[in-house]
């Protein structure tokens, strides 16, 4: 197991190495090439609306399935303590999500790979840049050049992808095979895994259908994205996968301006898989504790799961922590998270894959709403 682990680690580190310069260059050049602030506002608004609608849809699918299957009813072995990873994080709330948009220290945020405040800064920076006229042109050109260099590096790293992904998955499966707790949990919470898995599959197919209906792309695009999707499964991190997602989308023929704007934003705020999982997990906990959740509570779950997914970072098991927001909103015991812990690493991989698929379909669908601006398109290419 250890003999292959380092190869996966090397691949992951190479990807992570590119993230910060890549998103800075991509977002600034992407936004600047959209033209003036009003066009940016319209496209940005559509992107956020698209993300909000698809995330809400994912939660809805999760809620319908969890009500139909009721995976938590009859569950015993309720844990008595709040898991160590979670305790101390009870303060995670909506205010924290809003505050996390802005960082007082860009360098520290970059060092911690906190992408959201960096993206917000790049958006503000690029918006200001578009108002500076010819003086700003040299800065825009610099970021366009930097973006090209970074994408070239990603292309080189992609050569390692098959071996890197294989090594990551193999070493994780090696660990899981040895963990008795994992298999015991699989049996105990099998219905829960099934519900989350089925929901994610349904949502994945719904997005594919949208893509097919709204663009001429379909299976071919899915196949083209497969390297990014498998990497998402291998890394459990939308952020670490971002460089590959961008490269695959460009290879899939998506306009670079859409790729540069929609994907970095999506990797940090658009998490359909996480939202669906949080809704199912919270309902599962309620069912396990025998606490009834009426329509009113389920509406609260619907809203807070959507927000909690937006607040989750694109890193492994971030959704497990932001689930606190949903649990607290409907007064469920945080101890309940303990039931889900042993199998979470596995579900995390599948939901990350769906998160990345949600971003990828978003870029392909939103591309058609880009401002029609030949000059801008030329600069972006
Ligand atoms: N690991 C997920 C991602 O990076 C977030 C989560 O659901 O924990 O997209």
């Amino acid at each position: 197991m250890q003999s292959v682990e380092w190869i996966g680690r090397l691949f992951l580190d190479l990807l992570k190495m590119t993230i910060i310069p890549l998103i800075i260059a991509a977002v600034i050049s992407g936004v600047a090439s959209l033209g003036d602030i009003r066009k940016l506002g319209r496209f940005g608004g559509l992107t956020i609306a698209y993300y909000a609608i698809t995330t809400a849809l994912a939660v809805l699918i999760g809620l319908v399935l969890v009500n139909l299957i009721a995976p938590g009813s009859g569950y015993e072995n309720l844990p008595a303590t709040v898991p160590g990873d979670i305790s101390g994080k009870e303060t995670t709330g909506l205010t924290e999500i809003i505050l996390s948009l802005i960082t007082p220290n860009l360098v520290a945020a970059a060092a911690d790979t906190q992408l959201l405040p960096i993206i917000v800064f790049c958006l503000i920076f690029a918006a200001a840049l578009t108002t500076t006229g010819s003086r700003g042109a040299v800065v825009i050109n610099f970021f366009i050049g930097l973006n090209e260099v970074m994408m070239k590096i990603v292309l080189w790293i992609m050569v390692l992808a098959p071996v890197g992904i294989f090594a990551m998955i193999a070493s994780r499966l090696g660990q899981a095979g040895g963990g008795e707790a994992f298999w015991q949990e699989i049996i105990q919470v099998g219905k829960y895994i099934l519900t989350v898995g089925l929901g994610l599959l349904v949502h994945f197919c719904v997005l594919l259908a949208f893509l097919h209906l709204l663009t001429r792309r379909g299976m071919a695009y899915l196949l083209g994205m497969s390297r990014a999707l498998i990497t998402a499964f291998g890394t459990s991190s939308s952020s670490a996968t971002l460089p590959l997602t961008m490269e695959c989308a460009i290879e899939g023929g998506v306009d670079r301006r859409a790729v540069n704007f929609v994907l970095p934003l999506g990797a940090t705020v658009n998490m359909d898989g996480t939202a669906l999982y949080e809704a199912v997990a919270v309902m599962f906990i309620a069912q396990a504790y025998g606490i009834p959740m009426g329509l009113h509570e389920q509406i609260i779950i619907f809203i807070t799961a959507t927000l909690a997914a937006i607040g989750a970072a694109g890193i492994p098991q971030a959704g497990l922590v932001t689930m606190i927001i949903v649990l607290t909103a409907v007064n469920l015991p945080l101890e309940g998270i303990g039931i889900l812990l042993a199998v979470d690493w596995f579900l995390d991989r599948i939901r990350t894959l769906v998160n990345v698929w949600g971003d990828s379909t978003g870029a392909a669908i939103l591309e058609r709403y880009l401002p029609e601006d030949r000059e801008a398109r030329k600069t972006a290419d």
Side-chain angles (χ1 to χ4, degrees):
M1 182 180 85
Q2 288 214 319
S3 53
V4 292
E5 200 178 5
W6 70 271
I7 305 176
R9 174 84 190 276
L10 182 71
F11 174 63
L12 190 62
D13 286 351
L14 280 167
L15 280 178
K16 286 185 175 167
M17 174 182 87
T18 62
I19 294 176
I20 298 292
L22 176 66
I23 62 159
I24 292 177
V27 176
I28 294 179
S29 64
V31 171
S33 59
L34 284 178
D36 67 39
I37 285 187
R38 272 160 308 177
K39 287 181 186 158
L40 163 66
R42 186 174 164 270
F43 189 67
L46 278 173
T47 307
I48 307 264
Y50 175 85
Y51 281 160
I53 292 168
T54 48
T55 306
L57 184 70
V59 179
L60 200 65
I61 293 174
L63 282 177
V64 169
L65 286 177
V66 79
N67 277 296
L68 286 178
I69 303 177
S73 52
Y75 182 85
E76 284 151 17
N77 300 333
L78 296 174
T81 51
V82 179
D85 305 3
I86 302 296
S87 61
K89 300 209 171 122
E90 289 90 339
T91 49
T92 309
L94 293 181
T95 339
E96 273 66 30
I97 294 184
I98 295 170
L99 284 174
S100 71
L101 291 175
I102 304 288
T103 172
N105 188 338
L106 277 175
V107 179
D112 288 346
T113 336
Q114 287 174 33
L115 300 190
L116 199 53
I118 295 183
I119 291 180
V120 171
F121 171 76
C122 291
L123 290 175
I124 299 171
F125 183 91
L129 201 53
T130 58
T131 65
T132 54
S134 57
R135 288 201 181 189
V138 57
V139 183
I140 297 179
N141 276 333
F142 166 78
F143 283 108
I144 290 173
L146 181 61
N147 189 28
E148 256 170 47
V149 173
M150 293 315 299
M151 289 315 283
K152 182 64 85 186
I153 297 176
V154 173
L155 210 61
W156 290 341
I157 298 174
M158 263 166 106
V159 176
L160 255 186
V163 184
I165 298 166
F166 170 79
M168 265 185 304
I169 298 177
S171 63
R172 189 59 184 89
L173 285 182
Q175 282 170 32
E180 223 174 80
F182 175 71
W183 293 111
Q184 261 178 17
E185 282 291 316
I186 286 260
I187 297 164
Q188 280 182 359
V189 296
K191 262 176 140 184
Y192 158 70
I193 298 178
L194 199 86
T195 315
V196 177
L198 188 65
L200 292 174
L201 181 69
V202 171
H203 189 68
F204 189 96
C205 295
V206 168
L207 290 178
L208 183 62
F210 275 172
L211 181 74
H212 194 68
L213 287 176
L214 297 172
T215 71
R216 282 186 297 276
R217 300 183 174 91
M219 284 312 271
Y221 186 68
L222 170 59
L223 281 181
M225 291 308 303
S226 58
R227 263 174 305 176
L229 297 179
I230 299 170
T231 306
F233 183 84
T235 57
S236 313
S237 167
S238 319
S239 299
T241 312
L242 179 63
L244 286 192
T245 318
M246 292 173 72
E247 185 55 49
C248 291
I250 291 172
E251 282 177 15
V254 180
D255 190 307
R256 269 175 194 266
R257 292 175 299 161
V259 168
N260 287 345
F261 180 76
V262 176
L263 290 180
L265 199 64
T268 43
V269 300
N270 182 44
M271 309 228 172
D272 297 0
T274 303
L276 186 150
Y277 143 85
E278 295 206 10
V280 174
V282 168
M283 284 294 292
F284 172 78
I285 291 173
Q287 290 166 355
Y289 279 88
I291 303 170
M293 292 279 119
L295 186 63
H296 178 239
E297 283 85 4
Q298 295 207 27
I299 292 175
I300 296 178
I301 294 179
F302 177 80
I303 298 169
T304 48
T306 307
L307 293 173
I310 294 174
I315 54 171
Q317 302 199 319
L320 199 66
V321 178
T322 59
M323 200 199 296
I324 296 174
I325 300 174
V326 192
L327 286 171
T328 325
V330 284
N331 290 323
L332 285 174
L334 295 186
E335 287 85 349
I337 296 184
I339 316 174
L340 320 170
L341 271 188
V343 293
D344 194 67
W345 68 268
F346 177 67
L347 290 178
D348 190 14
R349 282 160 196 260
I350 314 182
R351 65 184 188 250
T352 308
L353 186 152
V354 175
N355 289 346
V356 171
W357 178 233
D359 304 337
S360 314
T361 49
I365 290 172
L366 290 162
E367 171 194 50
R368 54 162 51 196
Y369 300 106
L370 281 166
E372 219 16 87
D373 183 338
R374 296 230 164 102
E375 269 314 300
R377 199 177 280 257
K378 244 189 279 159
T379 353
D381 289 341

